[in-house]
Amino acid sequence: MKTLAQAQTDGVVAPLSTRPDSAGQTPATDTEWPEQSRSERYIALAIFLLSFFYLCIFRRYSWVDPDEGIILQGAQRIFDGQVLYRDFFSFFTPGSYYFFALVFRAFGDSYLVAHTALAFIGAAFSPITYLLARRVCSRQASLLVTFLMTVTALPWRFVVIHNWDSTLWACLALYCAVRLLERPSVPWAFAAATFTSLTALFEQSKGAGLLLGLGAGFLIIIFERPESKIFTRDRLMAIVVGLTWPFLVTLVYFASRHGLTTMLAGWFWPLQHYSLANRVPYAYDNMTGVARHRIFDSASFGLRLFAMLVFSARTWVPYLPLFGVALLIRLTFRRWRRASLRPEWAYYVLVSATISGLLLSIVIGRADYLHFIFLQPIFFLVLAWVLDGRSIRNPFFSRIAPVVGLCLSMSLLAMAAKSLFVAPSDRSVITRRGSITTQGPGTVIEYVQAHVAPGESILIYPYQSTYYYLTQTYSPTRFDYFQPGMHTEEQLREMLADFSAHPTRVVLYEPTFKDHLREAWPNTPPGALGRDVLAEYIMREYHPCTTLGSEILFMMRSDLKCPNEERPSP
């Protein structure tokens, strides 16, 4: 085994698992990293399997989340032979669309298959979080934080969305970067760069924040250790190749499909439009006034107390990464003052710098509490450090850690209980994409499937593309949804032109959508809430037949009769 001096000379982080733990005891192992311990490998495998089996509980649950249809319907379009950007609009990078299209191709096109893949992604978070935390924390603390992350992160919003798979690539990139720091080699350099590039191809802002954070962390380490041999010529070449090859493959593919120009326009579209309507205050809770009144005002005293405990995590989880930023600043300036620190310094710098970069990507994009939950597999490393991080806690934090851990664990367990026991369980609905379990008396899916043929074009307006996927229907335009203030007036008129040229038999229209718009997107420009030319066309050329659920109108073209051949009275 290398001595500490040799490890510092080679630019390698000294062994972590052989150092004293928070109780001053050295673990009974002679290995350098948890991966080299058979017991730790078995624990990591067991964590993955248990996490997967737990998350599979949620596979059939569906809240018919309007955002879920963005990826699912887009993947379905690709599965049917369409090309992203050229045949339908998106401002996301293409990773999630093509990933789920590939999953459909390999395992079948169904809602259950998509959610099983989602459970696999969520299960993969757990061993990565555990192994990263285990480097500086005890086994008990690492297992506790991994368990709390597993039961709260993905279950809180178990929907197919680009935030989850991009977080998996970010986790893998950070893990490979830590391994590169510990044992520099060309494979680890190539893997870290590849996963960073893939993160950007699944979510551009997260990939940019990850690249910034990893780059800043390594620069700080190299600045402190000029003799470091982490980045040799071969490893730098591997990093360059790893960063570029996924983008080159993507560019060649879209160029061959005559969609390169529209792809680039889609990638740069958010720079002018996304933040305009999506910017929210830090840790914005997204809760509507009606929901807040129902939960906190009209419920019994006991339920209000439980609700306060459930939603308390939403108030403090967004502030957890700020401790990582503070730690980065503290460790950086202590090293510049040549203060004495243990060898874990490089690990803490690299991980906290990555956390800082990812935090910046959230703040620039949309800083609501959900985007912090999407990154819990990485942000919860800070929680592990607070509870049992070696070499960074002062005696005061060490004394209060058990109390802090108990309080935060209760908050997160209540959050997990809400996800598990308040999940949709009222009834089963047979959709054209398989059976789902949902909540409430909604009748949209059944009614549409009874009166619209599979593969038929209908217009669902403005924002509920999940119904397209579940009912096996398609938009007559390049757009599967429309968000005022984020999509432009020109895009709305493009939708109107396409729709009026090929009017469908059926329209599902939600006339009250704008009433809820300012609660979900409070920064929506007032001008975007004015005249809606497509809504005017719908009300002029279509007549309502029935109200589905509580707010969605099933409408037929004016020259056609309603399915029951009766028009409702005015």
Side-chain angles (χ1 to χ4, degrees):
M1 181 182 298
K2 293 182 179 180
T3 65
L4 174 60
Q6 289 173 327
Q8 290 176 331
T9 301
D10 294 342
V12 182
V13 174
L16 300 177
S17 58
T18 58
R19 300 178 191 132
D21 59 18
S22 58
Q25 299 176 346
T26 301
T29 178
D30 58 357
T31 57
E32 294 188 17
W33 296 284
E35 293 82 359
Q36 294 176 287
S37 166
R38 179 178 298 178
S39 62
E40 295 292 351
R41 293 198 301 270
Y42 286 156
I43 289 173
L45 177 60
I47 288 173
F48 170 79
L49 294 176
L50 291 173
S51 300
F52 179 72
F53 292 140
Y54 174 75
L55 294 173
C56 281
I57 295 173
F58 302 91
R59 288 185 306 161
R60 292 190 185 274
Y61 293 162
S62 177
W63 288 262
V64 195
D65 188 291
D67 289 338
E68 188 167 36
I70 296 174
I71 297 299
L72 287 179
Q73 184 66 4
Q76 182 62 45
R77 283 176 176 257
I78 294 169
F79 183 76
D80 293 336
Q82 296 187 31
V83 176
L84 179 61
Y85 309 114
R86 188 194 70 186
D87 298 322
F88 64 100
F89 172 79
S90 177
F91 59 88
F92 299 141
T93 37
S96 297
Y97 293 104
Y98 284 88
F99 173 77
F100 279 97
L102 181 62
V103 169
F104 291 157
R105 179 71 64 184
F107 301 103
D109 179 12
S110 75
Y111 193 75
L112 183 61
V113 166
H115 272 212
T116 302
L118 186 61
F120 182 89
I121 290 171
F125 293 150
S126 302
I128 299 173
T129 298
Y130 172 77
L131 292 172
L132 288 175
R134 185 69 180 94
R135 283 165 157 75
V136 293
C137 300
S138 66
R139 180 178 294 170
Q140 293 85 347
S142 301
L143 285 172
L144 173 63
V145 170
T146 301
F147 167 75
L148 293 173
M149 183 278 299
T150 301
V151 298
T152 57
L154 185 59
W156 189 256
R157 199 176 187 204
F158 198 93
V159 296
V160 175
I161 194 170
H162 67 292
N163 300 91
W164 289 124
D165 42 25
S166 61
T167 293
L168 176 59
W169 303 126
C171 288
L172 290 170
L174 176 58
Y175 175 79
C176 293
V178 170
R179 297 295 285 147
L180 173 64
L181 180 66
E182 295 167 342
R183 182 165 289 176
S185 66
V186 169
W188 286 123
F190 177 79
T194 295
F195 288 128
T196 300
S197 183
L198 288 175
T199 304
L201 283 174
F202 278 68
E203 185 183 341
Q204 54 263 60
S205 61
K206 189 178 296 181
L210 176 67
L211 180 61
L212 176 64
L214 289 175
F218 276 117
L219 283 176
I220 293 171
I221 294 168
I222 294 172
F223 182 84
E224 171 56 30
R225 296 176 179 172
E227 74 283 359
S228 173
K229 298 180 181 179
I230 299 176
F231 295 115
T232 61
R233 179 180 299 177
D234 291 343
R235 293 169 201 153
L236 287 174
M237 182 62 67
I239 290 174
V240 172
V241 174
L243 287 174
T244 55
W245 79 260
F247 281 93
L248 287 176
V249 170
T250 303
L251 293 174
V252 169
Y253 169 79
F254 281 100
S256 68
R257 297 298 187 273
H258 308 287
L260 182 60
T261 302
T262 53
M263 181 200 75
L264 295 176
W267 286 11
F268 288 105
W269 187 88
L271 297 178
Q272 289 84 28
H273 306 289
Y274 181 83
S275 296
L276 182 65
N278 284 277
R279 189 174 302 280
V280 294
Y282 193 90
Y284 185 68
D285 67 1
N286 285 338
M287 189 179 297
T288 65
V290 174
R292 188 177 291 106
H293 172 73
R294 185 177 66 250
I295 294 172
F296 296 107
D297 296 336
S298 61
S300 65
F301 178 74
L303 288 177
R304 287 202 301 268
L305 285 180
F306 178 71
M308 291 175 63
L309 186 61
V310 168
F311 291 99
S312 62
R314 295 164 52 152
T315 63
W316 62 262
V317 165
Y319 295 94
L320 201 57
L322 294 179
F323 286 93
V325 177
L327 179 63
L328 175 64
I329 296 172
R330 174 192 170 206
L331 294 179
T332 301
F333 283 96
R334 285 191 65 180
R335 293 302 291 181
W336 283 346
R337 294 200 308 267
R338 301 297 178 184
S340 176
L341 282 179
R342 294 173 63 85
E344 291 93 339
W345 171 81
Y347 163 88
Y348 282 123
V349 166
L350 181 61
V351 178
S352 59
T354 302
I355 290 172
S356 302
L358 292 172
L359 175 61
L360 180 62
S361 71
I362 293 177
V363 172
I364 293 176
R366 181 177 173 89
D368 64 355
Y369 82 96
L370 276 173
H371 282 76
F372 293 92
I373 290 179
F374 291 140
L375 281 165
Q376 271 188 198
I378 294 176
F379 287 168
F380 263 35
L381 293 174
V382 178
L383 178 58
W385 300 345
V386 170
L387 298 180
D388 194 40
R390 289 193 288 271
S391 306
I392 60 171
R393 300 185 308 158
N394 59 38
F396 173 74
F397 271 100
S398 299
R399 288 193 296 269
I400 68 171
V403 177
V404 173
L406 176 62
C407 294
L408 299 186
S409 296
M410 290 178 61
S411 173
L412 291 168
L413 288 174
M415 182 179 180
K418 188 264 182 186
S419 299
L420 184 61
F421 297 112
V422 189
S425 57
D426 288 358
R427 64 195 186 95
S428 178
V429 177
I430 305 299
T431 78
R432 289 168 179 159
R433 305 298 185 186
S435 176
I436 65 173
T437 302
T438 189
Q439 191 174 42
T443 59
V444 178
I445 296 172
E446 298 99 317
Y447 195 89
V448 170
Q449 291 183 157
H451 301 291
V452 177
E456 184 176 347
S457 292
I458 67 173
L459 179 67
I460 302 176
Y461 186 77
Y463 198 113
Q464 191 38 288
S465 55
T466 304
Y467 287 131
Y468 282 129
Y469 179 75
L470 292 175
T471 62
Q472 199 176 340
T473 55
Y474 295 87
S475 170
T477 76
R478 295 179 60 248
F479 302 88
D480 289 325
Y481 69 102
F482 179 78
Q483 180 186 331
M486 187 178 72
H487 290 86
T488 64
E489 183 69 21
E490 291 74 15
Q491 289 174 324
L492 179 62
R493 294 190 178 278
E494 180 185 346
M495 290 181 67
L496 175 60
D498 292 342
F499 181 56
S500 59
H502 304 283
T504 61
R505 285 192 318 116
V506 174
V507 167
L508 297 186
Y509 175 50
E510 185 179 355
T512 60
F513 178 77
K514 286 188 177 180
D515 297 339
H516 312 303
L517 190 68
R518 295 306 294 267
E519 294 175 327
W521 297 283
N523 202 46
T524 301
L529 303 178
R531 185 183 179 189
D532 187 333
V533 292
L534 184 52
E536 293 175 359
Y537 180 88
I538 292 172
M539 297 304 296
R540 185 174 63 250
E541 301 294 333
Y542 287 76
H543 62 87
C545 294
T546 186
T547 300
L548 303 176
S550 60
E551 297 179 328
I552 296 179
L553 294 177
F554 184 93
M555 307 181 72
M556 297 291 292
R557 205 169 59 230
S558 298
D559 60 327
L560 301 174
K561 294 181 179 181
C562 293
N564 58 4
E565 297 186 352
E566 294 180 1
R567 296 192 185 186
S569 58

